[in-house]
């Protein structure tokens, strides 16, 4: 591939029909234009222009070459315009990895705000557990992940963006348990509803139970937080859930909180990005919205 700048000089000389006008357009000297065209003609082994007192005209070979160079220059200019639009957030794409629960209870308000401000940006969300989201990020299939903390991987950077407090809740039939702190050592004697094994949330709760000398043995294992809440409201048992996710149900009395002693340690939602790999403008802007002020 010859020097791309040679073809740019050729293009503007052919388009404007003048070495002087091409030099002015490219902000270089006329001798520089003439010198560049000489190099290009020598490298291709064919004259491209006929010099006249009024300027230059293309030879047959020059016209044949111009047909292709013109398309190439136009594609480059189109690419530059497209890149400019992406930088101005008029177009582009953001690829996010997050669980269903994080999407519904944390991410959705930010996505609504972002889409309202930048409707030309396409948003693609891949719903996976935190461990799966981390693997997608490392494989380059998403731009960033919104994950449950704690999480760790040497290839990634994690930044906390929101606090979460897990609590134990049940339907109104368990209201008597809410009257006094419940010792966590007695959890094994309760009818428990838990997420299936795999998500980081289940692992976090299992770890908490082990610190209290308890192994959690659920009567039901379900695939989503929404199902856990629905089953708990129906009286099937007690479940763990982030308090912010069920404030309406607690306020209405559809669920009651059973205060645990000691309470489950606070955890966080975090943003995971790849180290030493810059994000695109659209992704950076969305992250700025989510970062605590």
């Amino acid at each position: 591939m010859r020097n791309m700048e040679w073809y740019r000089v050729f293009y503007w000389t052919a388009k404007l029909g003048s070495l002087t006008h091409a030099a002015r357009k490219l902000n270089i000297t006329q001798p520089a234009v003439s010198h560049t065209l000489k190099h290009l003609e020598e490298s291709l082994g064919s004259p491209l222009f006929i010099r006249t007192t009024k300027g230059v005209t293309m030879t047959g070979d020059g016209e044949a070459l111009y047909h292709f160079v013109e398309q190439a220059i136009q594609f480059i200019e189109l690419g530059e315009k497209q890149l400019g639009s992406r930088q101005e957030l008029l177009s582009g794409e953001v690829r996010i990895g997050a669980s269903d629960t994080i999407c519904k209870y944390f991410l959705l308000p930010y996505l609504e705000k972002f889409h309202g401000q930048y409707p030309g940006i396409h948003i693609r969300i891949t719903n996976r557990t935190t461990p799966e989201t981390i693997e997608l990020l490392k494989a380059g299939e998403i731009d960033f992940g919104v994950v449950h903390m704690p999480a760790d991987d040497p290839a990634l950077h994690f930044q906390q963006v929101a606090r979460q407090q897990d609590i134990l809740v049940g339907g109104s039939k368990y209201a008597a348990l809410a009257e006094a702190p419940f010792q966590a050592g007695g959890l094994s004697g309760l009818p428990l509803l838990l997420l299936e094994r795999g998500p980081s949330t289940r692992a976090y709760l299992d770890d908490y139970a082990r610190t209290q000398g308890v192994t959690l043995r659920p009567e039901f294992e379900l695939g989503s937080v929404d199902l856990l809440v629905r089953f708990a409201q129906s009286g099937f048992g007690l479940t763990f859930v982030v308090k912010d996710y069920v404030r309406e149900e607690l306020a209405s009395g559809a669920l009651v909180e059973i205060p645990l002693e000691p309470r489950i340690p606070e955890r966080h939602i975090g943003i995971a990005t790849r180290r030493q790999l810059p994000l695109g403008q659209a992704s950076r802007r969305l992250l700025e919205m989510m970062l605590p002020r």
Side-chain angles (χ1 to χ4, degrees):
M1 182 68 182
R2 276 85 180 176
N3 189 327
M4 186 62 197
E5 193 59 31
W6 294 1
Y7 289 104
R8 193 181 295 272
V9 171
F10 165 78
Y11 170 75
W12 284 108
T13 301
K15 186 176 180 67
L16 299 175
S18 165
L19 299 180
T20 301
H21 293 164
R24 189 177 299 118
K25 174 68 177 180
L26 296 166
N27 197 29
I28 58 177
T29 65
Q30 181 175 326
V33 171
S34 181
H35 184 70
T36 298
L37 292 175
K38 180 181 178 181
H39 275 302
L40 181 59
E41 289 175 326
E42 289 177 349
S43 68
L44 294 175
S46 179
L48 302 174
F49 294 101
I50 300 172
R51 276 72 170 175
T52 70
T53 56
K54 295 183 179 180
V56 295
T57 58
M58 284 183 284
T59 64
D61 286 345
E63 290 181 354
L65 180 64
Y66 180 79
H67 173 72
F68 294 100
V69 172
E70 181 183 35
Q71 294 182 66
I73 295 294
Q74 289 175 349
F75 272 115
I76 291 172
E77 291 177 347
L78 182 62
E80 290 174 344
K81 289 179 181 178
Q82 179 67 21
L83 185 59
S85 294
R86 292 172 72 93
Q87 294 300 316
E88 296 171 6
L89 301 183
L90 300 177
S91 65
E93 182 182 56
V94 178
R95 303 173 303 162
I96 307 169
S99 69
D100 292 341
T101 304
I102 287 178
C103 283
K104 178 178 179 179
Y105 293 104
F106 172 76
L107 195 54
L108 183 58
Y110 296 106
L111 294 179
E112 290 175 341
K113 180 181 178 181
F114 182 85
H115 183 66
Q117 293 183 13
Y118 310 107
I121 303 295
H122 176 69
I123 299 173
R124 180 158 63 89
I125 301 175
T126 303
N127 295 125
R128 296 290 188 275
T129 65
T130 286
E132 292 170 333
T133 295
I134 287 173
E135 292 306 312
L136 287 174
L137 181 59
K138 291 165 64 178
E141 296 184 28
I142 56 176
D143 300 320
F144 65 89
V146 187
V147 299
H148 287 294
M149 303 288 286
D152 185 49
D153 191 289
L156 305 179
H157 172 72
F158 296 89
Q159 185 169 3
Q160 296 176 354
V161 292
R163 296 180 178 180
Q164 291 190 310
Q165 179 61 59
D166 293 278
I167 60 173
L168 182 64
V169 299
S172 57
K173 65 183 286 186
Y174 295 101
L177 288 177
E179 296 176 358
F182 185 88
Q183 295 300 314
L187 284 171
S188 59
L190 297 177
L192 295 177
L193 317 170
L194 295 180
L195 286 172
E196 297 169 334
R197 292 187 182 276
S200 60
T201 294
R202 172 65 187 272
Y204 187 76
L205 295 171
D206 283 336
D207 287 343
Y208 162 75
R210 277 192 289 270
T211 65
Q212 305 306 309
V214 177
T215 298
L216 299 180
R217 293 186 174 86
E219 296 193 7
F220 286 85
E221 288 186 301
L222 301 168
S224 73
V225 171
D226 285 345
L227 283 175
L228 290 176
V229 171
R230 184 71 61 86
F231 272 56
Q233 286 178 297
S234 298
F236 284 96
L238 303 165
T239 192
F240 300 95
V241 66
V242 174
K243 190 168 187 176
D244 285 340
Y245 298 172
V246 290
R247 289 196 179 277
E248 291 184 6
E249 290 84 353
L250 292 172
S252 68
L255 289 176
V256 295
E257 178 183 355
I258 291 84
L260 284 173
E261 182 62 41
R263 74 174 190 169
I264 303 168
E266 187 179 78
R267 57 186 176 132
H268 295 80
I269 287 175
I271 303 296
T273 54
R274 285 169 287 177
R275 292 187 184 276
Q276 301 177 340
L277 188 65
L279 290 169
Q281 181 70 9
S283 294
R284 290 200 305 271
R285 182 70 189 96
L286 178 54
L287 288 189
E288 289 171 1
M289 291 183 175
M290 291 189 283
L291 293 177
R293 300 183 183 278

